[in-house]
Each structure stands twice: as C-alpha cells, then as structure tokens.
Amino acid sequence: MKTWKVLSLLAISSFAFWQCQPSATKTEEPLPKLGNWHVEDSGDTVYHQIAQFEFVNQVGKTVTNADVEGKVYVADFFFTTCPTICPIMKKEMLRVYDAYQDNPNFKILSHSIDPTYDTQEVLKDYAEKLGIEDANTWNFLTGEPQKIYEIGQTSYLTTAMEDQNEPGGFLHSGAFVLVDQEGHIRGVYDGTKEDQVTRLINDIPKILK
C-alpha cells in the first residue's frame, strides 16, 4: 500500500475516532478546525483550508470555491455505479438535504470519483432519481479525475482514488466532511451510519450563522 494512501486512511480514521468520542459535558462546545495548522511569525494561526477547485455540476454549471465562499457545506465522494456504500451514503445525505435545503447559506458538494462515466448528463439523471430537481443546494460534481482524487486526498483528507482491486474499480471512504465559511474542515462523519449523520445535522447550526 502506498504511503500517501496509508496516511489518508489514518487521517480519516483519526477523525472518525474523534467524532465517536462521548462528550464530556452537556454544554455545546465549538467545533474544532481539523487538519494541519501552524503559527506564523506574526503570531497568527493558519489552519488547513480546502484548495482552489473547479468542477462541473449536474446542470452544466462550473462550480468553484467562489460558490461556497461564506457558506457552510458538506462534501463527499461517490460514483453512480458504486455497488457498495454509495446508496447508503446518498440515503443519509438526503436527510441532510431535507434539513437544510431551504437555507441559502448551506450547500452539498458530492464529487464523482468516476468522472469518465459520470458525465454531467449521467449526474443529472442520478440526481433526479434521488428527487433533486435543481442544483441550488446539492451539487453533483464531475471533472478531471486527478483533480478530484487530489482534492479528496489532500484537501478533504479522505480516500478517493481508482483501484481495480476494489468493487466497482474505485476506493473511497464514506466520510461526510463539514466545511465552514472560510474553507476549514470542522467535522468528519461516517455517512453510512445514521447516528453519525444525525450528529452532523445537529452540528451544522453551530457554524451556520
């Protein structure tokens, strides 16, 4: 197994472990900023941020960081022909969508890791079958494969790659990544587990202002 693949898996595992820890108090604590950080000479702390990106959504619109600037969003990685966890993930993400679809300051970005097959037209059909009639809140994204794999691994700190040894030919985690208005990761949740997604739904208002 390649070193970067191991590091990615370790990163998501550590985040998932943190998410599963019981709260020490009943009071609502602020969500941490996850990922690497450093302190500059000025004394300012610089936190990990999502890198610049440019993908195309299910209605043919180019989506970039500017579209989520100042907004809270949840990101995940999937592919439409996934034979394993994707159907569960999309069922759970529908719960998130239903809870916040009317809030203009909230978005969902679902990145296809099989962009060769998952064209804009395929994603549009897939979204409509889920009951998503527009891209106002939920964007299903396609683009250059390496760009998608790179942003998954290095920005969202999750697993997203081609792997012919895996069912369907791709390897990805079930992570739902919560990102704040400044592009900082504020939580990582197992999108295949109902209790974890419920926790995500409850955590979103903590940063959604």
Side-chain angles (χ1 to χ4, degrees):
M1 184 178 287
K2 296 180 179 179
T3 301
W4 56 271
K5 180 175 177 182
V6 172
L7 291 175
S8 178
L9 290 172
L10 287 174
I12 192 65
S13 296
S14 63
F15 287 163
F17 176 79
W18 174 83
Q19 289 291 337
C20 293
Q21 299 310 299
S23 176
T25 176
K26 294 296 183 180
T27 61
E28 287 192 359
E29 297 180 356
L31 299 178
K33 294 178 181 178
L34 304 179
N36 294 327
W37 56 273
H38 67 274
V39 179
E40 296 187 324
D41 292 339
S42 63
D44 294 331
T45 302
V46 178
Y47 294 95
H48 176 84
Q49 285 182 299
I50 305 303
Q52 295 295 309
F53 62 82
E54 183 176 308
F55 301 118
V56 176
N57 70 7
Q58 71 268 32
V59 296
K61 178 183 181 295
T62 297
V63 176
T64 70
N65 303 72
D67 294 285
V68 292
E69 185 177 358
K71 303 181 188 299
V72 172
Y73 71 95
V74 176
D76 74 328
F77 293 80
F78 81 109
F79 58 110
T80 62
T81 58
C82 173
T84 54
I85 63 174
C86 294
I88 301 172
M89 292 171 63
K90 290 299 163 275
K91 176 184 176 182
E92 291 297 326
M93 190 68 86
L94 275 169
R95 295 176 56 214
V96 182
Y97 173 80
D98 288 341
Y100 295 102
Q101 62 174 308
D102 295 325
N103 192 313
N105 294 315
F106 177 78
K107 301 288 183 183
I108 299 173
L109 304 185
S110 288
H111 307 73
S112 171
I113 56 173
D114 185 10
T116 301
Y117 178 82
D118 289 342
T119 61
Q120 177 245 309
E121 294 79 11
V122 169
L123 292 178
K124 186 174 186 294
D125 181 66
Y126 183 83
E128 289 175 348
K129 288 179 178 177
L130 285 173
I132 311 303
E133 298 179 353
D134 56 49
N136 292 337
T137 298
W138 195 344
N139 291 263
F140 294 81
L141 302 176
T142 189
E144 296 180 25
Q146 291 306 317
K147 294 291 186 181
I148 292 174
Y149 303 153
E150 180 180 358
I151 200 167
Q153 300 281 351
T154 63
S155 279
Y156 293 105
L157 308 180
T158 187
T159 304
M161 68 181 77
E162 186 174 1
D163 189 337
Q164 294 303 318
N165 294 320
E166 294 294 322
F170 296 89
L171 176 64
H172 67 102
S173 80
F176 288 177
V177 183
L178 178 60
V179 183
D180 70 15
Q181 296 89 337
E182 297 179 341
H184 303 300
I185 297 176
R186 305 300 293 273
V188 180
Y189 310 78
D190 187 339
T192 68
K193 297 185 182 300
E194 182 178 351
D195 63 332
Q196 284 283 295
V197 177
T198 297
R199 182 169 182 172
L200 165 61
I201 291 170
N202 292 334
D203 278 350
I204 288 171
K206 296 178 182 179
I207 59 172
L208 185 62
K209 300 177 181 178

